[in-house]
């Protein structure tokens, strides 16, 4: 049996190659899956990955769906780099949507109010942050696991949204549907181009990619967080505060997730409904890892993931496949990426070679502090 | 009569607690061996649909539950290969397993939405069930409820009295030492992960075959995560898992009886209770770092690769 041998140095080449390997493996699995389901695989691939992008409208939808993934992915990546595992972005997104929707409902009926959209953005950010404050406070004050707390809060946020649209915020003329009134044009994000649904938030998300890169690579606070993730002992020795990192990571990721929620209700949806996201907050976890926790990587991974969402919808219509195939591919992609990542720090070695003692790997690998 | 209400409340508490207990037992064994598997929710969902699908085709509950166990094992095997053989990060891999399980179960389950079947029946134990009050209170459950109690004693015995239980604990505390003495750390961790998968699959099938015999997308509704929290709550001790499960089961069924008892709170707000209680309990347990640090397996979440 071949065994693993640690590389003298992590392979930079493999760092960039492994997402590609993962994507190829996902495609191969897709090929098998489509064959198994009795679909012509090449046609299915075309429907899934090419057809959605053959029209200007399709490209607009692609960028529209990428927007919340970019936003949530950027925020999560900042935290993951510092070993702060906020996995409740879905809940923070929901609270952002509720806060922004609340502002829209409060100022309902205003025809021209250029300040309303910025105010809704602010409300969205604050709503997401408020939800992220809870795991941040409990972790820093009571040492409570932020993974479990942020996740429990997803369910609470979704139930709260359900309560609002069923009860106090329900549209009285909505034929008893659990939804609020439609937002007016003053409460909807301006579109980038006539005929497309892509809106202003996509541009903001691209701007945040640049800002996030600047923060992570040029600012001391970003460096401090990186060190805390890679070498907690060194960070403690240097006097970097763990609590500050937890707060920073959760507030930033909560804020951008909230902004993403605002973007959904003030964008394509245009009102509050019981369900406002097909799991963007969870898909963003995959985005962050596939994007190598790097802002530019997050951008590319978001485009890939939003194509999966879009392709899933096209495949549902054209091939009669359940839309859940999207989630299946998303999960597979992360599996393959994690598996391919082993070649960054290890290489395979034939077993019959004499074994040279290498340094023990009992401590976690650089990227594995948890 | 108060007793007329007491029996259904008690029995639905136990029913709600049973899947939590199974899933948490599985995760307890996994974590005692030093492995943190955050994929419980995904394994439960795949177990739920596998059990439901097989039972609806074969009509056999036994085959359904077996299929659920096998499905849970299969999923946990992916996790084991990735984290143990390929040395991936346990947190990321566990999250991936949950995301994958959610997608896979929804994908398979599409064909079964809206179907229902005859679920697991309660036992009628001769003589015992016929005892007034006590009989219907204690001796009128399905077989898996009794199984969850038996499993508790089995685990107690395993960890405290048996040789291999001690070895599992040693592997979780210090894999390097266990390896040095000559125990197969990786193999033990494999088996612990697979046991966790089997129990999660069974727990999922209990939802789709016993509590509500049907398939609903995402029907675990966070119970896998609550099971993970239960292990922390129990400070890695089997006895407290069952206690915790009954506590959470009680909170879960409060939402059904709350309205009947004249509590005028919207159902969505009552449904938040289990999640909020989970957070509160986690805070209470984690507040004192000693309870966590003294009991948590030392190598929890860390990779280990023996060099022979």
């Amino acid at each position: 049996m071949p065994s693993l041998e640690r590389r003298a140095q992590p392979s930079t080449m493999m760092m960039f190659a492994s997402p590609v390997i993962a994507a190829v493996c996902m495609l191969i699995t897709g090929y098998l899956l489509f064959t198994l389901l009795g679909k012509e695989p090449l046609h299915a691939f075309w429907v899934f990955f090419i057809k959605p992008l053959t029209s200007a409208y399709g490209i607009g939808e692609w960028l529209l769906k990428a927007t919340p993934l970019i936003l949530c992915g950027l925020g999560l990546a900042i935290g993951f780099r510092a070993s702060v595992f906020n996995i409740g972005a879905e809940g923070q997104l929901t609270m952002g949507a509720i806060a922004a929707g609340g502002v829209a409902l409060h100022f309902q009926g205003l025809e021209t109010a250029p300040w309303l959209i910025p105010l809704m953005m602010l409300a969205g950010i604050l709503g997401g942050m408020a939800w992220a404050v809870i795991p941040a406070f409990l972790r820093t004050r009571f040492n409570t696991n932020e993974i479990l707390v942020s996740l429990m809060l997803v369910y609470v946020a979704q139930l709260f949204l359900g309560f609002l649209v069923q009860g106090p915020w329900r549209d009285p003329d909505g034929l008893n549907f659990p939804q609020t009134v439609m937002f007016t044009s003053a409460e909807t994000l301006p579109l980038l181009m006539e005929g497309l649904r892509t809106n202003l938030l996509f541009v903001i998300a691209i701007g945040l990619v640049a800002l996030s890169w600047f923060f992570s690579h040029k600012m001391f606070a970003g460096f401090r967080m990186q060190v805390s993730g890679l070498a907690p002992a060194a960070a403690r020795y240097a006097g970097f505060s763990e609590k500050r990192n937890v707060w920073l990571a959760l507030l930033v990721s909560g804020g951008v997730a909230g902004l993403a929620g605002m973007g959904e209700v003030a964008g394509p949806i245009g009102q509050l409904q019981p369900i406002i996201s097909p799991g963007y907050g969870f898909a963003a976890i995959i985005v962050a890892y596939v994007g190598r926790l790097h802002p530019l990587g997050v951008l590319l991974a978001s485009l890939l993931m939003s194509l999966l969402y879009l392709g899933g919808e096209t495949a549902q219509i054209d091939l009669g496949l359940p839309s859940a195939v999207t989630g299946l591919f998303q999960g597979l992609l992360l599996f393959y990426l994690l598996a391919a990542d082993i070649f960054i720090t290890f290489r395979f070695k034939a077993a019959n070679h004499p074994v040279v003692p290498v340094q023990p790997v009992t401590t976690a690998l650089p990227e594995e502090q948890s | 009569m108060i007793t007329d209400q007491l029996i259904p409340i008690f029995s639905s508490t136990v029913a709600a607690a049973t899947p939590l207990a199974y899933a948490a037992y599985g995760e307890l064994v996994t974590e005692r061996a030093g492995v943190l598997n955050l994929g419980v929710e995904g394994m439960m969902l795949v177990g739920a649909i596998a059990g439901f699908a097989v039972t609806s085709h074969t009509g056999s509950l036994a085959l359904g539950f077996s299929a659920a166990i096998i499905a849970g094992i299969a999923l946990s095997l992916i996790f084991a290969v990735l984290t143990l053989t390929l040395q991936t990060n346990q947190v990321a891999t566990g999250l991936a397993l949950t995301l994958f399980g959610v997608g896979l179960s929804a994908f398979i389950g599409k064909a079964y939405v809206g179907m229902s079947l005859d679920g697991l029946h309660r036992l009628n134990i001769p003589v015992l069930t016929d005892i007034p009050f006590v009989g219907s209170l204690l001796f009128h459950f399905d077989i898996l409820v009794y199984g969850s109690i038996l499993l508790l004693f089995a685990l107690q015995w395993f960890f405290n009295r048996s040789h291999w239980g001690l070895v599992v604990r040693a592997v979780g505390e210090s894999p390097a030492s266990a390896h040095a003495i000559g125990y197969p750390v990786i193999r033990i961790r494999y088996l612990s992960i697979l046991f966790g998968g089997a129990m999660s699959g069974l727990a999922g099938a209990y939802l789709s075959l016993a509590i509500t015999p049907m398939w609903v997308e995402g029907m675990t509704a966070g119970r896998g995560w609550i099971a993970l929290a239960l292990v922390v709550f129990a400070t890695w001790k089997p006895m407290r898992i069952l206690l915790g499960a009954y506590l959470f089961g009680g909170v879960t069924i409060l939402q059904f009886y709350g309205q009947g008892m004249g509590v005028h709170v919207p159902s969505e707000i009552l449904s938040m209770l289990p999640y909020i209680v989970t957070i509160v309990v986690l805070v209470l347990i984690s507040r004192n770092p000693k309870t966590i640090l003294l009991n948590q397996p030392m190598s929890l979440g860390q990779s280990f690769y023996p060099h022979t």
Side-chain angles (χ1 to χ4, degrees), chain B residues 94-118:
Chain B
L95 292 175
L97 193 68
T98 285
L99 295 168
F100 177 73
V102 171
L104 182 66
S105 62
F107 182 74
I108 301 171
K110 213 72 196 173
Y112 299 91
V113 172
M115 285 170 64
S116 64
L117 47 76
D118 196 19

Side-chain angles (χ1 to χ4, degrees), chain A:
Chain A
M1 223 177 102
S3 62
L4 291 169
E5 181 186 55
R6 186 157 235 223
R7 290 178 194 269
Q9 256 184 332
S11 157
T12 320
M13 201 265 282
M14 278 308 300
M15 269 251 324
F16 294 101
S18 80
V20 179
I21 295 175
V24 170
C25 289
M26 185 193 73
L27 289 179
I28 296 171
T29 314
Y31 190 95
L32 295 173
L33 184 71
F34 289 137
T35 315
L36 213 71
L37 293 169
K39 316 278 173 195
E40 168 58 43
L42 290 179
H43 175 66
F45 274 143
W46 183 80
V47 169
F48 216 96
F49 296 105
I50 313 278
K51 194 187 173 204
L53 304 182
T54 49
S55 68
Y57 180 78
I59 292 177
E61 291 295 292
W62 182 37
L63 303 182
L64 176 71
K65 284 187 172 18
T67 307
L69 293 169
I70 298 171
L71 289 170
C72 296
L74 282 178
L76 294 186
I78 287 177
F80 290 174
R81 274 200 298 269
S83 282
V84 180
F85 291 101
N86 171 18
I87 59 167
E90 186 79 3
Q92 291 139 19
L93 184 150
T94 306
M95 287 316 268
I98 290 174
V103 169
L105 292 175
H106 183 77
F107 291 106
Q108 198 188 329
L110 288 179
E111 281 308 320
T112 48
W115 46 268
L116 194 48
I117 279 293
L119 187 67
M120 282 169 71
M121 284 187 178
L122 185 68
I125 293 172
L126 290 177
M129 274 187 181
W131 220 230
V133 159
I134 302 171
F137 173 74
L138 296 182
R139 154 113 187 232
T140 50
R141 178 73 179 76
F142 297 113
N143 195 31
T144 313
N145 184 316
E146 79 276 13
I147 296 179
L148 293 172
V149 173
S150 62
L151 200 104
M152 289 293 121
L153 290 172
V154 173
Y155 296 97
V156 177
Q158 287 172 343
L159 286 164
F160 185 53
L161 175 63
F163 160 71
L164 288 174
V165 296
Q166 293 278 359
W169 287 5
R170 185 208 292 252
D171 177 9
D173 305 322
L175 302 169
N176 239 4
F177 280 112
Q179 58 191 29
T180 63
V181 292
M182 287 301 288
F183 298 163
T184 61
S185 60
E187 298 165 341
T188 320
L189 283 160
L191 300 180
L192 290 185
M193 224 194 286
E194 199 61 43
L196 304 187
R197 295 204 301 165
T198 321
N199 58 47
L200 178 68
L201 203 58
F202 177 72
V203 180
I204 295 177
I206 297 294
L208 286 176
V209 171
L211 191 69
S212 167
W213 178 83
F214 184 77
F215 171 79
S216 313
H217 294 80
K218 298 286 169 205
M219 278 173 68
F220 189 60
F223 170 74
R224 231 167 19 207
M225 292 188 73
Q226 188 114 13
V227 173
S228 309
L230 290 176
R236 266 193 301 276
Y237 184 69
F240 299 166
S241 158
E242 192 203 348
K243 289 187 177 180
R244 190 167 47 193
N245 284 341
V246 172
W247 275 104
L248 197 62
L250 275 157
L251 286 182
V252 169
S253 55
V256 283
L259 184 60
M262 178 273 176
E264 290 305 295
V265 294
I269 302 178
Q271 64 181 171
L272 286 177
Q273 296 172 348
I275 292 168
I276 47 157
S277 150
Y280 289 133
F282 293 119
I285 299 169
I286 305 176
V287 163
Y289 279 111
V290 173
R292 305 258 69 120
L293 308 182
H294 185 286
L296 280 178
V298 165
L299 175 62
L300 293 175
S302 300
L303 290 171
L304 175 63
M305 292 290 278
S306 70
L307 185 57
L308 283 178
Y309 273 116
L310 209 55
E313 285 174 13
T314 327
Q316 194 178 6
I317 300 163
D318 282 23
L319 304 172
L321 284 176
S323 60
V325 75
T326 297
L328 198 60
F329 280 148
Q330 290 176 344
L332 276 175
L333 183 64
L334 186 50
F335 274 146
Y336 286 129
L337 177 87
L338 292 168
D341 271 0
I342 191 179
F343 297 111
I344 296 173
T345 39
F346 288 91
R347 62 174 138 232
F348 271 123
K349 178 185 62 167
N352 50 2
H353 287 226
V355 180
V356 185
V358 286
Q359 63 187 103
V361 200
T362 47
T363 50
L365 300 173
E367 292 196 341
E368 297 195 6
Q369 304 292 336
S370 55

